[in-house]
């Protein structure tokens, strides 16, 4: 009896201890949750084609707490040429970091609480610089630059063993690198530099020519430059050069030989998107780890939380870029799309792949109306005026100012406005501009369905154009699927921050959530199809403008 009483007393004591422990743990949890010292921050360098930004995200809310932005300057020496000064880009990156850190101090956040930095950048844009002086050998050639079209056409005639026809040659290259032959990609910009800039050729001969996309240029300089800077890129940016094997994630010797890239070109080391690359060497964030690197469109896919196969996002900026997560195996497109690496979150993790459709002109079409035609003052006014009419009155605008990208890949296409009548007003033209951007997106989504066998069930959107409710309602109506816009619109910068944060243990995959607004179609399928058929007719009219004859106008496969 005494023994039973002893165990009963012990049981009550243990029960009380468990209860007190739970209360203690709950108090500690609440105390830790509200303690500012427990909150850390992750920075993101977002170097785009129109602006340079630095943003700082909270580890708890995943929201930006401070940022600074500076517009970039394009240099257009000839028609179709777009350049930027690499040193100016670097100066602006450093300035945005310095100003943002001052803003942090003004809200009582120490810059030392930033535990890591991620870098996201305009892809394909190409920089070459001197290994010993650190000086650029030429301006950065920006992704939309089309000067290398002649080189593309020349290489399309180059023979490949066991590939007798042009289609076989293109297919062979696409299987290796996931891309199609187009001056959009970095290798053609590098070839143009080799053939047209004597300083570049001399640097290659002397084995001091460093090559990279914008991420490589920034990380090399921020980690020391000529004094020990790290020459790296990540799998997403490397997958846009046409030199990386999409399967092995390594520089491919057969591709290097096909494009005749000399040994004197110093290629960066290919790494994952999420690992420590090095540390900042100076400025207010000296010694902070650079732990993330990812191309801007893949960063937006990550920032949109499209972690799973079948999820898709579209970024509406200067151009439009649709990415569809295909999982751990690359899908080689047969319908005009690109195969790219979506992300690789750590050196020892599997890569995730995506199909991508790139549209050259999106927000740039709105800018053209504002700056060239001067028919409207702002994007907000454009969308408001477009909303005053129910339709385009039969007008179609194909904004192929520099050719058509996916899924057509026609460099001979040009911008066209068709269906003009005396009843057309500027409001009809503005609505046709928005519809043209949406139809290009639908073209890409149709190709993705053909390649994967699965329709896209929803489209996550971001970018400057996505702030307009009018635009998103037109998009959902024409594409026939729900359109989802996150309430936190800085998805590209968030993706870079997530890559860095995952590397240093700030966040875990799938643990980050975001609130969204959803738009659903309000027109029937028959009306969608009628509008889309008219768009296809407008596309045919836009092709073949710089050729002597129109015999290829119905060939939508393009390059």
């Amino acid at each position: 009896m005494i023994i039973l009483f002893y165990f009963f007393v012990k049981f009550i004591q243990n029960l009380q201890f468990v209860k007190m422990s739970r209360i203690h743990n709950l108090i500690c949890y609440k105390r830790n949750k509200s303690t500012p010292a427990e909150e850390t921050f992750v920075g993101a360098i977002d170097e785009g084609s129109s602006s340079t930004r630095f943003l700082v995200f909270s580890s708890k809310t995943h929201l930006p707490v401070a940022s600074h932005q500076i517009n970039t300057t394009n240099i257009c020496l000839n028609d179709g040429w777009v350049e930027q000064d690499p040193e100016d880009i670097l100066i602006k990156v450093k300035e945005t970091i310095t100003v943002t850190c001052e803003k942090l101090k003004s809200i009582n956040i120490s810059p030392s609480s930033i535990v890591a930095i991620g870098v996201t950048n305009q892809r394909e844009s190409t920089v070459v610089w001197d290994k010993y002086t650190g000086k650029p050998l030429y301006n950065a050639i920006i992704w939309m630059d089309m000067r290398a079209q002649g080189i593309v056409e020349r290489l399309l005639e180059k023979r490949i063993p066991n590939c007798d026809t042009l289609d076989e040659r293109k297919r062979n290259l696409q299987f290796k690198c996931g891309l199609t032959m187009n001056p959009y990609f970095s290798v053609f910009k590098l070839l143009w530099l080799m053939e047209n800039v004597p300083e570049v050729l001399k640097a290659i001969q002397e084995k001091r020519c460093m090559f990279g996309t914008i991420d490589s240029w920034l990380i090399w300089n921020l980690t020391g430059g000529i004094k020990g800077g790290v020459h790296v890129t990540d799998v997403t940016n490397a997958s846009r050069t046409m030199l990386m094997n999409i399967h092995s994630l390594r520089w491919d010797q057969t591709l290097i030989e096909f494009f005749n890239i000399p040994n004197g070109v110093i290629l960066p080391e290919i790494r994952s998107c999420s690992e420590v690359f090095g540390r900042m060497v100076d400025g207010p964030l000296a010694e902070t780890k650079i732990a993330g690197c990812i191309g801007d469109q893949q960063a937006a896919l990550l920032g949109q939380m499209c972690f799973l196969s079948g999820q898709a996002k579209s970024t509406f900026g200067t151009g439009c870029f649709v990415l569809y997560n295909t999982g751990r195996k690359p899908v080689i497109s047969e319908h005009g799309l690109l195969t790219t690496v979506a992300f690789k979150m750590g050196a020892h993790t599997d890569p995730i792949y995506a199909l991508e459709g790139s549209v050259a002109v999106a927000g740039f079409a709105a800018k053209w109306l504002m700056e060239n035609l001067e028919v409207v003052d702002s994007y907000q006014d454009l969308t408001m005026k477009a909303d005053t009419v129910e339709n385009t009155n039969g007008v179609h605008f194909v904004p192929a100012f520099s050719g058509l990208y996916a899924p057509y890949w026609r460099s001979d296409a040009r911008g066209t406005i068709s269906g003009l009548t005396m009843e057309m007003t500027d409001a009809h033209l503005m609505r046709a501009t928005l519809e043209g951007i949406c139809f290009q997106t639908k073209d890409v989504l149709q190709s993705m369905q053909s390649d994967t066998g699965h329709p896209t069930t929803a489209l996550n959107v971001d970018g400057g154009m996505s702030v307009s409710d009018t635009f998103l309602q037109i998009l959902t109506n024409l594409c026939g699927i729900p359109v989802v816009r996150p309430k936190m619109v800085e998805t590209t910068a968030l993706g870079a921050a997530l890559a860095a944060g995952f590397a240093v243990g700030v966040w875990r995959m799938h643990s980050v959530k975001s609130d969204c607004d959803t738009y659903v179609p309000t027109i029937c399928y028959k009306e969608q199809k009628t509008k889309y058929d008219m768009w296809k007719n407008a596309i045919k009219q836009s092709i073949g403008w710089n050729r002597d004859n129109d015999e290829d106008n119905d060939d939508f496969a393009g390059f």
Side-chain angles (χ1 to χ4, degrees), residues 489-501:
V489 297
E490 301 290 358
T491 53
T492 301
L494 176 60
L498 291 177

Side-chain angles (χ1 to χ4, degrees), residues 40-71:
T40 57
F41 300 90
V42 180
I45 296 169
D46 182 359
E47 204 296 301
S49 50
S50 59
S51 70
T52 298
R53 305 188 302 160
F54 184 69
L55 300 90
V56 177
F57 291 84
S58 164
S59 63
K60 289 187 175 182
T61 65
H62 317 121
L63 299 175
V65 296
S67 66
H68 188 64
Q69 174 175 321
I70 305 173
N71 290 337

Side-chain angles (χ1 to χ4, degrees), residues 289-338:
K289 296 174 182 176
I290 297 177
C293 180
I294 185 169
D296 54 5
Q297 301 310 320
Q298 286 92 334
L301 186 75
L302 200 61
Q304 288 273 23
M305 318 304 165
C306 295
F307 301 131
L308 303 176
S309 178
Q311 294 179 310
K313 74 89 199 176
S314 182
T315 296
F316 295 95
T318 304
C320 166
F321 301 88
V322 186
L323 267 71
Y324 179 101
N325 185 325
T326 61
R328 288 180 169 83
K329 291 185 178 181
V331 175
I332 305 300
S333 177
E334 295 183 358
H335 298 87
L337 302 179
L338 308 175

Side-chain angles (χ1 to χ4, degrees), residues 165-208:
T165 68
L166 176 60
D167 284 342
E168 288 175 344
R169 292 196 295 273
K170 289 191 292 186
R171 189 68 179 167
N172 178 275
L173 292 170
Q174 186 181 7
F175 178 79
K176 288 181 179 294
C177 65
L179 308 177
T180 188
M181 294 283 279
N182 192 279
Y184 178 33
F185 302 110
S186 305
V187 69
F188 296 111
K189 304 177 193 310
L190 174 60
L191 289 173
W192 186 91
L193 289 166
M194 290 167 51
E195 295 179 12
N196 293 276
V197 182
E199 293 83 357
V200 173
L201 184 58
K202 183 178 180 182
I204 291 173
Q205 292 169 346
E206 296 174 358
K207 297 188 177 180
R208 53 182 172 84

Side-chain angles (χ1 to χ4, degrees), residues 143 317-320 359-366 397 399-403 405 436-437 440:
W143 59 272
T318 304
C320 166
V359 175
V361 175
F364 190 79
F397 179 20
F401 297 122
S402 57
Y405 284 7
I437 297 163
Q440 290 178 105

Side-chain angles (χ1 to χ4, degrees), residues 210-230:
M210 302 188 77
F211 158 81
T213 41
I214 299 293
D215 56 306
S216 299
W217 165 251
L218 291 177
I219 293 174
W220 186 78
N221 279 284
L222 295 175
T223 58
I226 59 174
K227 297 180 180 179
V230 181

